[in-house]
Amino acid sequence: MIIEKAASQLEALGNVTRLRIYRALVRAGEEGLPVGRLQEKLDIPGSTLSHHLKRLVDTGLVIQDRQATTLICTANYRHMNELIGYLVNECCADQECARPAAKVVA
């Protein structure tokens, strides 16, 4: 992955509203969500949603597909996995990793 692409995607996810939108789409699965349903679910104005979706689409994290009069938004899982892989694939490549911390049960 090119570092500029990773930085752009991470920057897009660094906004609270965009992160909420993206998490909702990741949770929705392969079927995605219609824009109207996403707007209702997150309780944000349509213009705000449109602005933030454009940024997520431009970075490749979200795919939009028009089905008749409905615009369906879906998380681009391939790009999500590439970004996550970029962050973790070389974990501790230059030194040994510390032992994983014990899980805390709340």
Side-chain angles (χ1 to χ4, degrees):
M1 172 175 267
I2 299 170
I3 195 167
E4 289 81 9
K5 180 178 179 182
S8 178
Q9 290 175 338
L10 290 168
E11 181 182 17
L13 294 173
N15 175 280
V16 173
T17 301
R18 284 192 291 269
L19 185 57
R20 287 181 62 223
I21 292 167
Y22 192 67
R23 285 182 47 123
L25 292 175
V26 168
R27 289 177 57 98
E30 295 287 336
E31 293 183 16
L33 287 172
V35 170
R37 177 69 186 111
L38 187 57
Q39 182 183 357
E40 290 171 8
K41 183 177 185 76
L42 299 176
D43 192 30
I44 57 178
S47 59
T48 301
L49 178 60
S50 178
H51 165 77
H52 289 298
L53 277 172
K54 181 180 181 340
R55 180 76 164 104
L56 292 169
V57 169
D58 288 347
T59 61
L61 291 169
V62 169
I63 300 168
Q64 291 183 323
D65 181 42
R66 183 160 300 278
Q67 296 177 1
T69 60
T70 304
L71 187 61
I72 306 293
C73 297
T74 309
N76 186 333
Y77 293 100
R78 184 175 62 84
H79 285 193
M80 178 185 75
N81 289 328
E82 287 174 0
L83 179 59
I84 292 168
Y86 178 77
L87 295 173
V88 299
N89 283 346
E90 295 188 32
C91 178
C92 305
D94 295 335
Q95 64 182 5
E96 264 188 57
C97 284
R99 289 187 335 172
K103 290 185 179 182
V104 177
V105 178

